[in-house]
Amino acid sequence: MVEAGLEYDQCTPEELNAKVQPSGKPLWELLAQVEESKWNRELAIDTRTNPALRIFFKVDFEAVPDLVAGRKVFLRHGQAYVSKTDVVSLVVGHFRSHLSQALVETARKWASHIAAEESERLTPVIEALSTRYLGPDYGDLQRPAGEVAVADLPRLAHESFPLCMLNMFEGLKRDHHLKHTGRQQLGNFLKGIGLSLDSAIAFWRTEFAKGGMPEDKFKKEHLYNIRHSFGKEGKRVNYTPASCMSVINSAPGQGIVHGCPYKAFDADSVRAALARLRIEPDKVRAAVGKMQGGHYQLACAAAWEGAHGCECVTGINHPNQYYTESRKVHDAQMGVTEETKDADASLNPAALPKLLDEPVLAVTPSRQTS
């Protein structure tokens, strides 16, 4: 911690072994109880059995208000005992404070160091930094190995689609129609996960036909656009899937299913959608809290963690990244399942869950009013 510029005192073995009145228990045992009440029970067991892992930092409770509010730390005499797994709260607070000071200083020096003509040129660039996506574009080079079959889309949607793409997918299945922006966002997303041009044409043709669209109308109004998005028509540009910021900044209206649900929908609709996906309740609360604070990508990351039961260490910056990280988890689980299956017996199809037969979003979400 000192190396990171954080001068927080690590609890000494003597302090950890000191008995705390009136419980009469050593401090480390009380700290282990706090750890055991959280999701990381394995750490609690290690903390109890291995003294080398009893690493806690003693800080003023004001330094970690989020941990105090979440009852994730042991408080004593105005001090919070933060475990090594929660030091990110200390680092984030420290970073945020320094970043805020640096931004104030930068703003103060901007006028005196940047000439007027340069300010006019550079100001739009600086203002656009916060909404710029600099990660992989999830085009052909980033596509997951292997192609995705149309028949697998319902299963994959339930397992690995972010809420924005799942909402569009279910909307298309329900209404057999999407607005132009929705077709672009969902179509390029599906292309990015491995849906081929021929499969994409078959997918959209089938869905539109269920809505009563004649074949000649499909060819006239939609076939060219599908081929165009794959770089087979027009300028031959292979369009890449939309990033989170692009989806967030799209402005859907009433009855339109594209865009970011965490931005456009009210809290009750998001709760209902995540509950249908069987997201862990605490992660649903976390996602709604982040959503209400305007942190839409953090809300999506909380939903990802609730769906997969593990930490999203990379964060979520792109719908296709959400899908890719999800498939890594499912593939790892399938590897364990296949080993167990080979050791026991063949899989019984009748035992498969029937979740895929029902729509994930059974409600029509209410959008927030400005």
Side-chain angles (χ1 to χ4, degrees):
M1 294 291 280
V2 176
E3 290 81 356
L6 304 175
E7 298 180 357
Y8 297 124
D9 294 330
Q10 183 174 326
C11 294
T12 63
E14 293 77 14
E15 185 175 2
L16 289 172
N17 288 320
K19 293 185 177 181
V20 177
Q21 299 299 331
S23 67
K25 296 180 179 180
L27 177 60
W28 68 265
E29 188 170 340
L30 297 175
L31 295 175
Q33 290 179 359
V34 175
E35 291 301 309
E36 194 168 4
S37 68
K38 297 188 292 186
W39 63 269
N40 46 350
R41 294 180 179 271
E42 292 183 1
L43 174 66
I45 296 174
D46 291 339
T47 303
R48 290 178 181 275
T49 58
N50 189 347
L53 294 178
R54 299 173 193 167
I55 300 176
F56 292 86
F57 295 92
K58 182 172 66 175
V59 303
D60 292 336
F61 75 92
E62 297 98 331
V64 284
D66 56 330
L67 298 181
V68 174
R71 303 174 68 88
K72 294 183 178 180
V73 288
F74 181 78
L75 296 177
R76 182 167 179 256
H77 299 159
Q79 300 290 307
Y81 292 81
V82 182
S83 73
K84 64 178 181 178
T85 60
D86 291 320
V87 294
V88 64
S89 293
L90 293 173
V91 176
V92 167
H94 187 76
F95 172 77
R96 183 174 294 160
S97 175
H98 279 265
L99 178 62
S100 178
Q101 294 175 8
L103 289 173
V104 170
E105 185 67 19
T106 301
R108 186 182 298 117
K109 293 181 177 180
W110 178 269
S112 59
H113 286 70
I114 305 297
E117 59 274 12
E118 287 297 303
S119 177
E120 184 176 342
R121 179 178 66 86
L122 294 176
T123 297
V125 177
I126 299 300
E127 291 178 344
L129 287 177
S130 62
T131 60
R132 239 174 134 185
Y133 174 70
L134 301 176
D137 61 14
Y138 291 94
D140 286 338
L141 295 180
Q142 288 80 28
R143 178 177 296 177
E147 290 188 356
V148 170
V150 174
D152 291 332
L153 288 180
R155 173 181 61 83
L156 294 174
H158 183 271
E159 292 179 349
S160 299
F161 280 22
L163 191 56
C164 56
M165 298 300 156
L166 181 58
N167 190 43
M168 283 185 275
F169 184 81
E170 291 295 333
L172 177 64
K173 288 289 185 179
R174 180 184 62 243
D175 303 328
H176 310 297
H177 174 74
L178 281 181
K179 295 291 187 180
H180 176 70
T181 302
R183 296 196 300 270
Q184 282 187 322
Q185 291 180 359
L186 180 60
N188 287 332
F189 169 81
L190 294 177
K191 180 180 67 172
I193 70 173
L195 194 68
S196 67
L197 173 58
D198 291 339
S199 296
I201 293 173
F203 170 72
W204 290 103
R205 175 187 282 119
T206 300
E207 292 303 323
F208 289 151
K210 290 178 181 178
M213 181 180 292
E215 176 67 17
D216 58 343
K217 184 177 181 180
F218 171 79
K219 291 181 178 179
K220 180 179 179 181
E221 298 183 2
H222 298 288
L223 182 58
Y224 177 90
N225 290 333
I226 297 171
R227 290 179 53 81
H228 185 268
S229 68
F230 277 80
K232 302 301 182 181
E233 301 287 354
K235 294 182 179 179
R236 309 280 177 174
V237 175
N238 189 14
Y239 288 88
T240 57
S243 67
C244 282
M245 289 310 304
S246 178
V247 175
I248 289 171
N249 289 333
S250 61
Q254 188 66 30
I256 297 177
V257 296
H258 62 260
C260 178
Y262 299 105
K263 179 182 179 181
F265 297 165
D266 60 29
D268 289 339
S269 294
V270 171
R271 288 192 191 96
L274 296 181
R276 293 283 295 174
L277 291 172
R278 300 186 178 182
I279 305 296
E280 298 172 0
D282 59 332
K283 291 300 182 181
V284 172
R285 290 190 292 270
V288 172
K290 296 297 185 183
M291 178 195 81
Q292 293 174 330
H295 307 297
Y296 310 121
Q297 291 168 249
L298 295 180
C300 192
W304 189 99
E305 292 178 348
H308 298 85
C310 57
E311 184 181 4
C312 182
V313 295
T314 60
I316 299 299
N317 296 298
H318 200 292
N320 289 77
Q321 178 206 0
Y322 183 108
Y323 175 88
T324 300
E325 296 301 323
S326 173
R327 295 322 301 167
K328 291 178 182 178
V329 175
H330 282 286
D331 289 346
Q333 293 173 346
M334 283 299 296
V336 175
T337 303
E338 288 296 329
E339 293 177 2
T340 304
K341 182 173 63 175
D342 292 340
D344 299 334
S346 60
L347 183 65
N348 178 13
L352 291 174
K354 298 182 179 179
L355 293 175
L356 301 180
D357 297 332
E358 54 181 309
V360 176
L361 296 180
V363 299
T364 300
S366 302
R367 295 181 180 270
Q368 297 175 351
T369 57
S370 54

